[in-house]
Amino acid sequence: MEKFMNTERDVYAELGVKKIINAAGTYTMVGGSRMSERTLSAMTSAARSHIVIGELQARVHERLAAITKNEAAYVTNGAACSLHITGAAAIARHWNRPHASLAPEQTAKCEIVIHRAHRNPYDWALRLLGVKLVEIGFPNSILPTTAQDLELAITENTAAIYYFFMLPGGWLSSGALAFKETLEVAQRRGIPVIVDAAAQVPPVENLWNITGQGASACIFSGGKDLRGPQASGLVVGRKEFMDWVGATAFPTYGVGRMFKVGREEIVGLWSAVEEYVSMDHSARAVWAEKRIAELGRAFQDSAILSVQRVYPNEAGQPMPQGIVRFKAAEGLSEPISSRVLRLLADGNPSIFTVAAGENGIFINPMTLTDAEFEIVTQRIKEIEKEIEKETRGGQRQK
Ligand SMILES: *Cc1c(COP(=O)(O)O)cnc(C)c1O
């Protein structure tokens, strides 16, 4: 038993799991973001005692609603689960009875309107509901969706309109009806709008602006930039709709029971959002600009690579990001970006990021500390030398 008495542990060392530096941003596959010590301590504190979950939810949801300037809030175990639960709530609301009491045929009759431009890998959470997804428009800019397209797609079976919210410049296709116009149609027809804004903070104002404009519910991932627990999600919205969410989600029986959210996550996300709304976001943006500018200066004389600043980043967030671009090298058996990613991953410490096309890699300051940024810069310098030497060697051979 003695070996289990140590409370200060390095679990990754115990397990032989490699720690990495995350230079990609809040990617879930590497653990999203890091919680603050204060949030970790809130979670530990929550874990130590039993409480009645319903009472804890009531208190936390009340506070989350207040600090995010919403009528109501709900903590789930992820943005994807939030999408499923808000969809289920919309179906229950449509029939005006508890979701668990509905026959499959009643669900199958329901429709959720979605722009083709908004289809994405996370919409499995909607597909699994068993409703009909009614697609409108095209995912391009030749013929953008019109208000009439949306009007005509709404029928007596429409339970909700799904909207993917992202600032221009992110990875989303064009072609959808503007958010404001979507809300106008929805309001006129009395249809709730459910917004997926999982990664759409920053800007912090999105926590209240999207619902403030009239969305019934807006979904955020707790484990991305909010820096809550990885397995947490936040839904904010109008009380009338959110009451249906509460009646459908954990700890009720029915579909919500599959999406258990622990007291540690409930408290952890509350703590994280508290910190997020009081953080100096403009100072952070200035810091990020400075880091990207420094990265550019570190390689300004390089013969084989250059640093490009992109804004907004690929998630559409108003934060600068760097792309380290290598001059096209001919005769390589693989894209240079794959090679550089592998060299970064194989280094010590191991660095994770993602490719920006065939000859570039992203360096996202959002998940890096100053010390880590320095390590990443130095490692790229080493890789630069290595590739430069090889290229010269290659030319000599010709
Ligand atoms: C990350 C993401 C999700 C899923 O968030 P989780 O909290 O990991 O479940 C859903 N939708 C979009 C658009 C996302 O970027």
Side-chain angles (χ1 to χ4, degrees):
M1 201 54 204
E2 201 154 294
K3 72 172 190 178
F4 295 125
M5 297 300 281
N6 182 13
T7 52
E8 267 305 312
R9 299 173 63 180
D10 184 342
V11 286
Y12 297 130
E14 282 178 43
L15 291 163
V17 170
K18 187 170 66 183
K19 285 180 203 157
I20 60 172
I21 290 177
N22 174 14
T26 57
Y27 278 73
T28 301
M29 65 195 282
V30 289
S33 52
R34 275 176 291 200
M35 289 183 273
S36 70
E37 290 301 321
R38 181 175 167 276
T39 293
L40 284 170
S41 123
M43 291 181 78
T44 313
S45 160
R48 289 206 175 101
S49 311
H50 289 274
I51 39 78
V52 176
I53 288 287
E55 186 189 344
L56 175 66
Q57 286 176 315
R59 288 293 94 74
V60 165
H61 294 160
E62 206 172 76
R63 291 202 184 196
L64 277 172
I67 59 181
T68 63
K69 305 178 202 177
N70 278 279
E71 290 176 13
Y74 206 95
V75 179
T76 66
N77 60 358
C81 134
S82 306
L83 209 51
H84 192 80
I85 282 298
T86 49
I91 296 162
R93 181 182 173 278
H94 180 79
W95 289 100
N96 195 25
R97 47 187 286 185
H99 183 266
S101 74
L102 293 172
E105 300 75 45
Q106 288 173 296
T107 295
K109 233 178 141 179
C110 282
E111 295 170 357
I112 294 180
V113 180
I114 183 169
H115 286 87
R116 284 194 182 83
H118 288 176
R119 293 304 308 255
N120 71 82
Y122 299 102
D123 67 32
W124 265 103
L126 294 177
R127 294 161 71 181
L128 281 173
L129 286 166
V131 295
K132 190 168 159 205
L133 293 185
V134 176
E135 294 186 330
I136 55 171
F138 298 99
N140 58 56
S141 53
I142 294 182
L143 186 60
T145 314
T146 64
Q148 193 189 28
D149 293 333
L150 178 57
E151 287 274 5
L152 293 174
I154 294 171
T155 71
E156 56 179 21
N157 299 319
T158 307
I161 297 165
Y162 163 90
Y163 203 91
F164 191 146
F165 192 91
M166 193 182 269
L167 293 178
W171 54 262
L172 195 65
S173 307
S174 61
L177 184 64
F179 186 50
K180 195 165 163 283
E181 291 175 70
T182 303
L183 290 170
E184 278 164 16
V185 174
Q187 268 152 18
R188 196 158 58 239
R189 303 289 295 271
I191 308 289
V193 175
I194 297 170
V195 178
D196 184 350
Q200 300 310 304
V201 285
V204 62
E205 293 81 11
N206 277 353
L207 289 173
W208 48 89
N209 276 351
I210 296 169
T211 41
Q213 289 180 69
S216 304
C218 185
I219 289 159
F220 299 94
S221 179
K224 292 183 179 166
D225 202 50
L226 284 177
R227 301 170 200 194
Q230 251 307 275
S232 72
L234 175 67
V235 188
V236 295
R238 297 297 163 112
K239 185 170 184 316
E240 183 271 328
F241 187 82
M242 294 296 288
D243 283 345
W244 285 101
V245 173
T248 311
F250 178 77
T252 60
Y253 288 104
V255 67
R257 192 61 182 80
M258 293 193 298
F259 303 107
K260 175 151 75 179
V261 56
R263 59 197 189 285
E264 300 84 358
E265 280 77 26
I266 294 172
V267 162
L269 186 61
W270 160 57
S271 164
V273 175
E274 247 187 355
E275 286 175 34
Y276 201 76
V277 295
S278 55
M279 189 171 156
D280 187 343
H281 287 276
S282 48
R284 185 180 179 220
V286 169
W287 170 85
E289 287 293 1
K290 204 171 133 225
R291 302 269 52 162
I292 298 300
E294 278 166 13
L295 186 68
R297 275 197 298 277
F299 294 100
Q300 62 191 0
D301 299 323
S302 172
I304 65 157
L305 68 85
S306 60
V307 176
Q308 178 196 346
R309 169 190 177 273
V310 282
Y311 182 97
N313 65 20
E314 93 279 12
Q317 298 160 334
M319 282 290 252
Q321 176 161 238
I323 296 180
V324 176
R325 247 186 229 303
F326 289 79
K327 299 225 167 89
E330 280 169 33
L332 293 176
S333 55
E334 63 177 343
I336 187 105
S337 57
S338 313
R339 168 103 198 275
V340 173
L341 289 181
R342 205 172 50 243
L343 288 168
L344 286 169
D346 290 346
N348 185 19
S350 175
I351 297 166
F352 169 84
T353 188
V354 290
E358 291 215 334
N359 61 6
I361 57 158
F362 282 115
I363 299 296
N364 190 332
M366 286 172 69
T367 45
L368 291 170
T369 62
D370 283 318
E372 288 173 335
F373 215 103
E374 192 50 40
I375 294 171
V376 171
T377 307
Q378 288 315 318
R379 182 66 189 130
I380 297 172
K381 279 219 175 280
E382 287 170 21
I383 292 172
E384 176 198 22
K385 291 215 178 68
E386 210 171 309
I387 293 178
E388 206 174 10
K389 207 160 71 193
E390 257 172 46
T391 322
R392 263 194 254 117
Q395 277 165 355
R396 260 201 308 275
Q397 274 162 26
K398 270 185 201 158

